[in-house]
Amino acid sequence: MTELTHLDPSGRARMVDVGAKPVSERRAVARAVVRVSPETAAKVAAGDAPKGDVLGVARIAGIQAAKRTAELIPLCHPLPLTFVGVEGSVDPDTGSIVLTAEARTTGQTGVEMEAMTAASVAALTVYDMVKGIERGAEITETVLLEKSGGRSGHWTRPPA
C-alpha cells in the first residue's frame, strides 16, 4: 500500500468506503505494557492494591472501550463485534503488567483499532488504579501483535 486510504484526492480526511469489500472473518490482537515497581506489581498480582482488583477492572474497561472505538477514533467504522477479550498478566520481578486484547468480527473492515483501543484503555485503567501508590507508573507500549482477514490476509508482528 503506497497511499493513505483516509485521504480523498484533495488531501482531506475521509471515511473509507468499504461497501464493495467482501465480508470475511476478522481478528486482531494487541498488547499494552505498564511498567511499575516490583512492589506495586506484587500488590497488583496479589489483588492487594488499594483500589481493588486492578486486572479485573482493566479487563472490563478494555472490553467496554473496544465497543466504543468508533466514537473515539473519528474515521473508524462502527463494527458489530462478535468477541472482545482482554487478559492481564503481572511479572512482579520485572514490574511489568501486560494487557493483551483480542477483537473479532465478521465484516468488511478489520478490528485492529478495536483491539488496540481495548489494550490501551486497559493499560490506562491499570495506571489509574495504581497511581495512588506509584506516581511513576508508565505505559511503555501499545502495539498490534497480529491481524487476520480481509484482502491483506494474515500478519504477525516480527519478534523484537
Side-chain angles (χ1 to χ4, degrees):
M1 184 170 288
T2 59
E3 61 185 54
L4 296 174
T5 59
H6 284 80
L7 298 178
D8 70 11
S10 303
R12 295 177 303 171
R14 67 172 172 108
M15 182 181 244
V16 174
D17 183 355
V18 298
K21 292 173 77 176
V23 170
S24 68
E25 297 287 324
R26 312 288 185 132
R27 177 178 175 269
V29 179
R31 174 183 66 220
V33 178
V34 181
R35 300 270 184 223
V36 295
S37 68
E39 296 78 23
T40 298
K43 287 182 180 195
V44 171
D48 291 336
K51 289 189 176 183
D53 179 8
V54 173
L55 295 181
V57 174
R59 189 171 43 255
I60 298 301
I63 292 167
Q64 184 177 355
K67 297 186 320 184
R68 301 184 74 114
T69 299
E71 295 174 34
L72 300 168
I73 312 293
L75 303 177
C76 203
H77 292 83
L79 297 177
L81 296 170
T82 58
F83 175 79
V84 177
V86 177
E87 295 300 325
S89 63
V90 182
D91 183 342
D93 294 334
T94 63
S96 66
I97 303 169
V98 177
L99 295 308
T100 305
E102 177 183 355
R104 293 189 293 229
T105 192
T106 302
Q108 295 167 295
T109 190
V111 288
E112 298 92 12
M113 295 311 299
E114 287 73 13
M116 290 182 64
T117 299
S120 297
V121 169
L124 287 165
T125 300
V126 168
Y127 180 92
D128 180 55
M129 293 189 74
V130 303
K131 71 181 185 224
I133 56 175
E134 184 169 341
R135 286 282 179 204
E138 63 179 347
I139 299 169
T140 60
E141 76 171 2
T142 299
V143 296
L144 182 68
L145 298 176
E146 180 180 358
K147 61 93 44 199
S148 62
R151 179 175 41 92
S152 62
H154 187 258
W155 176 86
T156 302
R157 176 170 294 283

